[in-house]
Amino acid sequence: MHIMYFTERAYTDVPEEEILKRQSFFGVPNKYFDPVKGAKLLNEYLDDKVLAEEVGFDGVMLNEHHGTPFCMGAVMDMEAAVLARITKKVKIVLLGNPLPVNANPLRLAEELAMIDMISGGRLVPGWVRGAGSEQFFANANPAYNREYFNEAHDLIIAAWTKPGPFRWEGKHFHFRFVNPWVLPLQKPHPPIWIPGLVSPETVVWCAKHRYPYLALATFLEPTIELWNIYANAAAQEGYQAGPENFGYLQKIFLAETDEKAQELGKADLYGGGITHFARPEWMFPSGYNSKEATKRLAHMFVDPKTGASVIKLEAEEEVDVTALKKSFFDGYQGAQNNLQLIRGTPKTVIPKLKKILDVLRPGIFAFWNNDGPISTEARRTSIRLLGQEVIPALQEHAKTLGLDDPFVVKPGSRKLSSTGKPDAVANREALAALGA
């Protein structure tokens, strides 16, 4: 199993009331950004990833968002290029470049190729459609989002694998001279992983391309549903999906004692956390999602135990900031009960993580560390505990479950049974026993 480290690299020096009254990180005026503090944080986040390599992580994961203090990785390829030079062995996993808001896929193909060469062939690129708010930031038409994504993907793969020069005349992109003189070290191209939340179309697209699909901290039951959609699509393509086709992102925070982990872990509720990534009208603009994805939204983000919605589909007009903040703290224990958040010491978190592996059986597992306003030392203590005590225990458990990662078993290489029907890719019985 491939285990990697992730944070959003948040800018946490914004007055929390500014986020809460907007019910959104996106849209907070950048007058609250201090470049001196931002520079310090960015360098600390890079050092965190070097530490993650030192304590035993297999990979470091980056993402990209725009116009928001929720994530300072506005150009994650810059971070990836730095990490390519200052790390030695970890995979550099990008999940991912928002293709529909990138005006020049050919330039992106060159950037990624250079990162792969500098790293010695350690790049794992991943591509996303970008959050709805990204469409506003980049002035991109959300109705064409999937078309942009598909064509940009095809152009990048062609630039990496088809000898140039050649001409590209697509629906949205036109290049008279495609002949990049920087190409990836890995052949025919670096392995590609795709993250997602709710879209069944993305899952099917991944299965058709034999790309691993990573669920981004979704509830376990709807995650199994997406796994099954993938497995059925894979069967139609003539192969059996396995652990190497699936990954999962888990929110977690560790400390020396359970009490300390619980208290410091509350920092993740700063500003409302992921619930306030962006207002619904910005997160899900008209034309951005298919009807099927829209139907799944409510189901995907509802706590199966309490019925509470993690991401609101409608923002309130009038906000009582004090009451709103209290509501997040009131839900803190519930988020742990359903394993959306895991807090504690290695001793208390390992059994919970093993149960998630029992249910989802992923070949890729990412730890999402605390994004709130905590000290650098507290964040790094969590990294050390994960690397030195949690990862070895999980790797042993993964071996007993046969959870091979995509570097051990090539995605799409497993033979389908003679019946033409896929074997189970997740364990519903384990989910029922878990009660999550």
Side-chain angles (χ1 to χ4, degrees), residues 91-412:
K91 300 293 184 182
I92 300 169
V93 184
L94 309 184
L95 299 179
N97 295 107
L99 294 184
V101 301
N102 190 306
N104 193 330
L106 186 55
R107 168 61 184 265
L108 179 58
E110 291 180 311
E111 290 178 6
L112 295 175
M114 289 187 70
I115 294 168
D116 195 48
M117 288 190 291
I118 293 169
S119 71
R122 291 184 286 124
L123 176 69
V124 180
W127 297 315
V128 297
R129 294 172 56 211
S133 54
E134 253 78 67
Q135 320 307 306
F136 287 99
F137 186 89
N139 199 33
N141 187 339
Y144 289 132
N145 180 278
R146 191 166 290 280
E147 290 184 12
Y148 287 147
F149 178 90
N150 290 341
E151 188 177 337
H153 163 271
D154 293 347
L155 174 53
I156 292 171
I157 296 298
W160 282 346
T161 59
K162 182 178 178 180
F166 61 89
R167 190 182 186 104
W168 182 274
E169 295 294 345
K171 180 177 179 180
H172 299 288
F173 301 107
H174 306 272
F175 292 90
R176 290 181 292 177
F177 189 78
V178 180
N179 189 41
W181 261 84
V182 284
L183 295 169
L185 191 60
Q186 300 177 82
K187 298 300 179 186
H189 56 72
I192 296 165
W193 300 353
I194 306 295
L197 285 170
V198 301
S199 172
E201 293 88 358
T202 298
V203 174
V204 171
W205 183 88
C206 285
K208 288 183 176 180
H209 287 81
R210 307 189 181 210
Y211 294 159
Y213 175 85
L214 284 84
L216 300 178
T218 45
F219 285 106
L220 297 183
E221 183 173 357
T223 302
I224 290 177
E225 293 174 8
L226 290 177
W227 268 211
N228 290 335
I229 291 172
Y230 188 114
N232 290 329
Q236 292 179 7
E237 295 297 314
Y239 72 94
Q240 170 66 48
E244 67 277 3
N245 295 94
F246 303 106
Y248 190 70
L249 175 65
Q250 175 65 51
K251 205 78 162 91
I252 195 164
F253 181 73
L254 274 69
E256 301 92 331
T257 67
D258 288 320
E259 293 76 17
K260 189 173 182 179
Q262 287 293 333
E263 191 58 35
L264 289 175
K266 293 176 182 177
D268 251 337
L269 305 177
Y270 165 75
I274 189 65
T275 303
H276 282 167
F277 177 82
R279 290 175 64 89
E281 61 266 32
W282 299 334
M283 189 72 170
F284 310 110
S286 179
Y288 174 72
N289 275 325
S290 68
K291 290 182 179 179
E292 182 60 31
T294 301
K295 287 179 184 178
R296 295 183 66 84
L297 274 174
H299 177 51
M300 291 295 290
F301 294 112
V302 170
D303 184 332
K305 289 187 175 180
T306 67
S309 179
V310 175
I311 293 182
K312 296 180 180 179
L313 300 183
E314 291 184 7
E316 300 173 20
E317 293 299 325
E318 299 276 335
V319 177
D320 182 332
V321 170
T322 301
L324 183 59
K325 188 172 182 177
K326 181 178 181 300
S327 71
F328 292 122
F329 283 93
D330 288 346
Y332 185 53
Q333 185 57 50
Q336 294 180 72
N337 293 342
N338 61 43
L339 301 178
Q340 283 290 286
L341 299 176
I342 292 180
R343 300 312 188 226
T345 62
K347 182 180 179 180
T348 54
V349 306
I350 287 172
K352 296 176 182 179
L353 292 167
K354 286 181 176 179
K355 290 177 181 178
I356 293 174
L357 296 187
D358 291 342
V359 172
L360 296 180
R361 302 179 62 82
I364 306 163
F365 202 80
F367 288 121
W368 181 359
N369 206 9
N370 197 316
D371 284 323
I374 61 171
S375 71
T376 302
E377 185 52 41
R379 193 171 64 246
R380 290 179 182 170
T381 294
S382 183
I383 295 172
R384 290 188 188 96
L385 292 172
L386 285 167
Q388 294 169 355
E389 300 188 43
V390 175
I391 287 179
L394 288 195
Q395 289 290 22
E396 283 300 314
H397 191 64
K399 287 179 183 178
T400 65
L401 296 175
L403 304 185
D404 293 321
D405 66 42
F407 304 108
V408 174
V409 176
K410 183 179 179 181

